Structure formats: structure tokens, C-alpha cells
Amino acid sequence: MTPGAAGTPSAGRNGYAGWPRSAGLARFYELDVSVEGDVEPVTGYFLNIQEVDRIVRETAIPFIDQACGRSPEREPAELLPSVARAMAPALAGRLASLRWRVTPTYSVELESDQMNRVVMRQRFEFAASHRLHCPTLSDEENRRLFGKCNSPNGHGHNYVVEPAVAVRLNPAGPPSFTLEALERLTGEAVIARFDHKHLNEDTREFATIGGVNPSVENIARVCFDLLAPAIREAGAELASVTVWETEKTSATYPA
Ligand code: NI
């Protein structure tokens, strides 16, 4: 995505580190390309991955590069259908979806059978403590079921929350729902409510009496229920919320 010293793309020699090679003040974007089609019976191949790479480099990257130069104020969601249309005819299979990871936490995804909408995802974090405990079970049953997670005074996590919002595209301009709205609404509905709290002690949603056990599954569902009305009011639709309790443990609601 970055011109070399002479203003021409720098191909690079390190396939692992990416192509073109970054030079100077580089942008770093990632594109996830999903292609559907039939496997050829003799070779067992559907599509040579190098063909996908080549098509991305010849169609998507120049398009995004030009847009960054000419209209850096445009929303990535607004550009995504044009990127997909530039790529699709060159692919041997059907372009099923295209996800542009604009930053390590923010992405927009287009499914080619719904070209009039994108799914916007942004990650957030909050730090909180919790205790897994069911008041209807005995102390012994709680200890057996939840182990150390039943420790009486709780323990902490740095939770990561990722809402996935279906945003309708506007053919005449930028979509009405933006990343700014997603950050503001998630901040108000979720982060302000749970950050630096003891979920069982300090929140209505996870209170020992009247709340639900603060498992990662329940946290994902509660975040969805808190955020969905605000997103709807702002003109978009919350598709799901994923919550990571650790890097290896997450839950998505609805599944
Ligand atoms: Ni825990």
C-alpha cells in the first residue's frame, strides 16, 4: 500500500512479511477474502491461493490506495462494495465475503449476497472482577462446578467486547451509522456500566439476587441486550456481541 522511494510499488522479498514491502510512512490494512466454488476432482484444487493474492494486488490494493490519496475522509464501509466489484470478475469462484481490517480492532465486512449492507466490528475492553456462583446450589456444588472461579472474593479479567453491527449502505454517500456512533453507544451502554466494577457486587445485571451468573456466556448476552436498543435507535442493527474473558475463552451471542 506504500510507494517505494521512486514512487513505484516496492514488491518486497519476504513473503511472510507481506507485499508490497512497507516503506516510509506506511499504512497497514488486512483483507480477508472468502471465495466459494467447486473443487476440481483431479487436482483437488479449487483455486490457487496465489491467484487470490494476485487479484487482490491488482484490483483491491490500487483501488484502496487511490482512495486513501484522493478522499481519505471517506468511510471504509462506503468503499467496500466498490472493492468487491473490482475483484469479483477476476476470481474463478464466487466472492462470498470481503472483510477489511482497517485497524487491529476495527473491521468492516461485506457479504456479496447482501451488497447493500456491511457488518462493522470494533473491539472494546473493560476490567472487572466476578465470582461464578449459583445461589440455588450448595457451597460444595458451587466449588465442584466452578473450582477457583468460585473463590469467595472473586477474581479479575480484562474483558474484550466486540459488537458486530449490520449497517445499511447509502448509495448517495456515507452510511448514516458510523464508527463514532458505535464507540459512543458501546461506551455508554456497556463500558461505563461494567468497567472497574465487581460484576456480582456492583451491577444489577449480575447481582447474586436478581441477576445472572457472570459467566462469559451471560456477559455476552447481557451486553447484547443492553446495546441492541441503542443501536436500533441509531438506525442500524446489532447482529451479535462477542466477549473474550481470556485470549482463549470467548462467547458470542446470538451464536
Ligand atoms: Ni473468571
Side-chain angles (χ1 to χ4, degrees), residues 63-218:
F63 184 92
I64 293 172
D65 196 23
Q66 280 185 7
C68 288
R70 288 180 190 165
S71 45
E73 75 287 353
R74 291 184 75 186
E75 290 289 329
E78 194 185 344
L79 295 173
L80 210 50
S82 299
V83 179
R85 276 192 288 270
M87 287 181 58
L91 288 163
R94 190 183 84 87
L95 179 64
S97 68
L98 180 63
R99 183 169 176 180
W100 180 359
R101 296 178 189 270
V102 185
T103 75
T105 59
Y106 169 47
S107 71
V108 287
E109 181 173 18
L110 183 77
E111 290 176 358
S112 62
D113 54 2
Q114 295 188 76
M115 293 286 279
N116 61 347
R117 61 159 226 171
V118 298
V119 176
M120 176 190 292
R121 294 179 179 88
Q122 172 71 302
R123 291 187 181 189
F124 302 80
E125 65 175 356
F126 67 86
S129 48
H130 74 159
R131 181 195 188 199
L132 297 183
H133 184 84
C134 294
T136 54
L137 302 177
S138 70
D139 286 351
E140 176 52 36
E141 284 172 315
N142 269 298
R143 275 193 294 274
R144 186 168 46 77
L145 193 57
F146 299 120
K148 285 194 291 188
C149 298
N150 183 242
S151 174
N153 294 321
H155 62 277
H157 293 284
N158 290 321
Y159 291 96
V160 174
V161 181
E162 186 183 73
V165 180
V167 178
R168 194 155 291 281
L169 294 171
N170 173 10
S176 58
F177 188 88
T178 62
L179 180 60
E180 189 279 331
L182 177 57
E183 295 197 338
R184 179 170 43 79
L185 296 173
T186 307
E188 290 167 2
V190 174
I191 308 304
R193 186 180 302 252
F194 298 138
D195 192 28
H196 286 69
K197 299 283 173 63
H198 190 307
L199 298 178
N200 312 60
E201 306 286 334
D202 302 334
T203 76
R204 191 162 35 86
E205 291 77 11
F206 302 106
T208 306
I209 298 170
V212 295
N213 197 26
S215 62
V216 70
E217 297 92 322
N218 275 340

